[in-house]
């Protein structure tokens, strides 16, 4: 079946550094991907919609300059947490829409395994 | 806006026990409802879904019925197994959301032999 893979699965960084998380669709083209953030014991919160070849659409309250999203190819979206601080520590999850003929959504949505970021 | 409320966990059961995880939602229009499961070290996987009122989604012995009158989508399984231990997320998608999901907070289920 379709697989979405995230890398790295966990990362520890120092405060003030930037961290990049990759989300790849392994056997299908994903023109649209979503980035979620999950705090402990809380639900997944949608951060942004990533569209191949265009700017990401951010949800209200999400700093676009803080969380840079690039969707440069049909199989890869990246989330870069810039100048990370301890409050950015979280579990980041991506999902990808599978499209079929004519680029129409098949209704299938696949999730990556998540990336845990810890900022010291 | 849309919201999903799940019963808090963790839930701990013995094998073959009956499972219910409550889920209620708030949404405008006619959302689609989902249950996702996340096994340790893996991504979220769709467990079942229902797209309109009174629909029953079912998979792997799990069931959930879309109840519009009570705005609920409770997950049930008659006899759980150790392999069902995972985190379960209730979610909804609004009619025009094109893949955007609103999630509940997740419920950790642990099943003991």
């Amino acid at each position: 079946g379709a697989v979405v893979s995230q890398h790295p699965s966990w990362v520890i960084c120092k405060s003030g550094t930037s961290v990049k998380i990759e989300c790849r669709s392994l056997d299908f083209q994903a023109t649209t991907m979503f980035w979620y953030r999950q705090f402990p014991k809380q639900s997944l919160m949608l951060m942004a919609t990533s569209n191949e070849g265009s700017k990401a659409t951010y949800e209200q309250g999400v700093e676009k300059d803080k969380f840079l999203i690039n969707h440069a190819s049909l199989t890869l979206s990246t989330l870069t947490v810039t100048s990370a601080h301890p409050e950015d520590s979280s579990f980041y999850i991506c999902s990808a829409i599978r499209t079929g003929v004519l680029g129409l959504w098949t209704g299938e949505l696949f999730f990556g395994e998540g990336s845990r970021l810890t900022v010291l | 806006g849309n919201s999903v409320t799940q019963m808090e966990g963790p839930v701990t059961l013995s094998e073959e026990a009956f499972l219910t995880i409550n889920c209620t939602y708030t949404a405008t229009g006619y959302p689609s409802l989902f249950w996702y499961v996340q096994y340790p070290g893996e991504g979220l996987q769709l467990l079942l879904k229902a797209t309109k009122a009174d629909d029953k989604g079912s998979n792997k012995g799990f069931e959930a019925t879309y109840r519009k009158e009570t705005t609920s989508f409770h997950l049930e399984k008659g006899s759980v197994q150790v392999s069902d231990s995972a985190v379960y997320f209730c979610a909804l998608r609004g009619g025009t959301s094109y893949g955007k999901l609103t999630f509940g907070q997740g419920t950790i289920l642990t099943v003991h032999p």
Side-chain angles (χ1 to χ4, degrees):
Chain A
V3 177
V4 171
S5 178
Q6 282 183 242
H7 178 81
S9 55
W10 59 271
V11 57
I12 301 173
C13 70
K14 292 183 179 180
S15 185
T17 61
S18 295
V19 174
K20 180 184 288 187
I21 301 170
E22 295 183 345
C23 178
R24 292 182 185 274
S25 56
L26 297 185
D27 58 357
F28 67 99
Q29 293 183 336
T31 55
T32 302
M33 293 184 175
F34 300 94
W35 285 97
Y36 292 85
R37 179 175 180 177
Q38 184 182 24
F39 293 99
K41 299 184 179 180
Q42 295 187 31
S43 64
L44 283 72
M45 302 299 296
L46 179 65
M47 298 174 67
T49 302
S50 173
N51 298 299
E52 187 269 334
S54 65
K55 291 183 179 180
T57 304
Y58 290 82
E59 296 298 304
Q60 190 173 9
V62 178
E63 299 175 62
K64 60 181 66 176
D65 295 330
K66 174 75 169 175
F67 299 100
L68 300 179
I69 292 173
N70 186 298
H71 196 151
S73 79
L74 287 171
T75 58
L76 174 64
S77 174
T78 59
L79 168 68
T80 301
V81 182
T82 62
S83 186
H85 287 92
E87 58 266 29
D88 299 324
S89 299
S90 195
F91 195 56
Y92 294 89
I93 301 174
C94 72
S95 66
I97 284 178
R98 183 175 196 166
T99 54
V101 176
L102 303 178
L104 297 177
W105 183 30
T106 62
E108 296 174 288
L109 183 66
F110 301 97
F111 285 82
E113 60 272 66
S115 299
R116 184 165 300 284
L117 170 64
T118 300
V119 184
L120 301 177
Chain B
N2 298 335
S3 68
V4 176
T5 302
Q6 271 181 251
M7 67 181 285
E8 290 194 24
V11 174
T12 303
L13 296 173
S14 298
E15 204 165 25
E16 298 184 2
F18 184 85
L19 168 71
T20 298
I21 302 178
N22 290 337
C23 171
T24 57
Y25 68 90
T26 302
T28 55
Y30 304 94
S32 295
L33 302 174
F34 306 85
W35 276 100
Y36 280 84
V37 58
Q38 185 175 32
Y39 299 104
E42 299 182 18
L44 275 74
Q45 302 173 27
L46 178 63
L47 180 60
L48 53 85
K49 67 179 181 181
T51 58
K52 61 183 187 296
D54 300 324
D55 267 3
K56 177 186 284 187
S58 61
N59 185 26
K60 299 181 181 179
F62 291 89
E63 292 182 341
T65 301
Y66 189 144
R67 300 287 188 198
K68 192 166 178 63
E69 64 275 14
T70 55
T71 62
S72 65
F73 193 55
H74 304 322
L75 182 68
E76 296 182 337
K77 186 173 186 181
S79 176
V80 293
Q81 305 299 312
V82 173
S83 57
D84 294 327
S85 298
V87 183
Y88 292 82
F89 293 91
C90 184
L92 72 80
R93 176 170 57 85
T96 58
S97 295
Y98 191 63
K100 289 184 186 180
L101 297 176
T102 300
F103 285 90
Q105 68 268 45
T107 302
I108 299 173
L109 170 66
T110 303
V111 181
H112 293 297

